[in-house]
Amino acid sequence: MAELKITAANFENEVLHSDKPVLLDFYADWCGPCKMLSPILHELAEEKSGTLKVGKVNVDEQMELAMRFQVSSIPMLVVFKDGKAVAKSVGYRPKAEIAAMVEGVK
């Protein structure tokens, strides 16, 4: 399963009501570190498809969500579990750090 495109319209269903943890990537198309992070998130989405959802939020298109989660710099990763944000990191992170952050919320 590849990453989901998360919008204000599907956020509640895909993230808040998800039966598994969700890793949300707040990004923009023009952001260099976001582009570097993209293949890593794709790998995680493939490897953990049974236990994790990976969603991408384009902050330029989804300003409402970006404001709701006070996104001040990107990329920003937020892990949601049971409808709550339980972990957050800002900036580029290596795959091992992201995987550890996700593992920590199970």
Side-chain angles (χ1 to χ4, degrees), residues 69-71 76-79 86-90 93 101:
F69 293 101
Q70 295 155 358
V71 179
M76 182 173 106
L77 299 175
V78 182
V79 181
V86 291
K88 178 171 141 175
S89 80
V90 177
R93 294 278 184 275
M101 181 171 90

Side-chain angles (χ1 to χ4, degrees), residues 33-79:
C34 301
K35 288 181 180 145
M36 288 166 34
L37 200 55
S38 196
I40 294 173
L41 294 174
H42 184 73
E43 274 176 42
L44 281 172
E46 298 283 313
E47 289 166 16
K48 304 199 180 289
S49 63
T51 56
L52 177 73
K53 269 191 198 178
V54 177
K56 296 180 75 70
V57 179
N58 185 322
V59 295
D60 290 331
E61 295 170 4
Q62 301 297 323
M63 296 187 102
E64 182 188 320
L65 285 176
M67 284 165 46
R68 181 170 167 185
F69 293 101
Q70 295 155 358
V71 179
S72 55
S73 56
I74 50 175
M76 182 173 106
L77 299 175
V78 182
V79 181

